């Protein structure tokens, strides 16, 4: 009988220990669930931040792409302006060269006209002299 009492006491002790472990398990489960809930909320907040940042990244990515397109457009415009400037410079150079050629031609014409004028200037007095001699006047006197 003593063995039965010892066994009953051991059974009671084991049942008590079982209840204690069960209560402890419930407490740990409640703590775990609370921590799990906190982690879940933290994960949700992080997901929300990630979505916000992702939206921000998409926005700035779009802005960046627009700026790249604008930069390419400006590069093309600069290239076009540069080509236009080269054409204007070339036309200016051609115009200046043509002006120089025209000036040389005019100078040549002026020189020819001066030569002709000098030749005619020299011939006029001789012809005037010849006319005076034919009229009968003296070389230094003009006929009236």
């Amino acid at each position: 009988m003593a063995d039965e009492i010892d066994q009953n006491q051991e059974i009671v002790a084991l049942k008590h220990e079982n209840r204690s472990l069960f209560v402890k398990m419930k407490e740990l489960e409640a703590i775990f669930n609370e921590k799990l809930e906190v982690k879940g909320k933290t994960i949700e907040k992080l997901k929300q931040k990630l979505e916000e940042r992702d939206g921000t990244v998409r926005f700035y990515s779009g802005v960046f792409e627009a700026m790249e397109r604008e930069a390419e457009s400006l590069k093309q415009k600069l290239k076009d302006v540069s080509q236009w400037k080269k054409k204007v410079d070339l036309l200016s150079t051609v115009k200046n060269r043509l002006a120089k050629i025209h000036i040389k031609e005019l100078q040549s014409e002026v020189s020819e006209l001066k030569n002709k004028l000098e030749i005619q200037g020299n011939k006029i007095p001789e012809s005037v002299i010849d006319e005076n001699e034919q009229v009968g006047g003296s070389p230094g006197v003009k006929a009236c």
Side-chain angles (χ1 to χ4, degrees):
M1 188 142 198
D3 280 341
E4 254 182 66
I5 294 176
D6 284 340
Q7 283 181 349
N8 284 339
Q9 286 178 348
E10 196 175 321
I11 289 172
V12 169
L14 286 173
K15 284 183 179 180
H16 178 69
E17 187 178 340
N18 189 23
R19 282 186 207 129
S20 294
L21 287 174
F22 184 75
V23 168
K24 186 75 168 172
M25 185 187 78
K26 288 292 184 184
E27 289 174 357
L28 289 174
E29 187 179 352
I31 292 171
F32 175 77
N33 286 337
E34 187 178 314
K35 286 185 178 182
L36 185 62
E37 187 178 325
V38 168
K39 293 285 183 184
K41 288 179 181 179
T42 303
I43 289 171
E44 285 301 316
K45 287 179 183 177
L46 290 173
K47 281 182 180 179
Q48 186 178 9
K49 283 185 180 180
L50 179 63
E51 288 173 3
E52 289 172 3
R53 298 258 166 94
D54 189 46
T56 302
V57 167
R58 277 191 236 129
F59 171 76
Y60 284 112
S61 176
V63 169
F64 180 72
E65 288 172 3
M67 290 175 73
E68 280 185 326
R69 286 191 300 271
E70 183 67 21
E72 286 300 318
S73 173
L74 290 173
K75 283 180 188 178
Q76 183 61 41
K77 287 178 183 177
L78 182 62
K79 185 179 175 182
D80 293 345
V81 166
S82 177
Q83 289 175 349
W84 178 81
K85 187 177 179 325
K86 286 178 184 178
K87 288 177 183 178
V88 167
D89 289 345
L90 179 63
L91 288 174
S92 177
T93 302
V94 168
K95 181 181 173 185
N96 288 337
R97 287 183 183 172
L98 288 174
K100 287 178 182 179
I101 291 169
H102 189 65
I103 288 171
K104 285 182 181 181
E105 288 173 354
L106 289 175
Q107 287 174 337
S108 178
E109 284 182 37
V110 167
S111 178
E112 286 178 27
L113 290 173
K114 280 184 180 179
N115 288 339
K116 287 181 181 179
L117 185 61
E118 285 178 12
I119 291 172
Q120 288 177 356
N122 289 339
K123 287 184 178 179
I124 291 174
E126 289 175 14
S127 64
V128 169
I129 293 171
D130 289 341
E131 287 177 9
N132 284 337
E133 287 178 3
Q134 288 175 0
V135 172
S138 60
V141 179
K142 289 186 177 181
C144 298

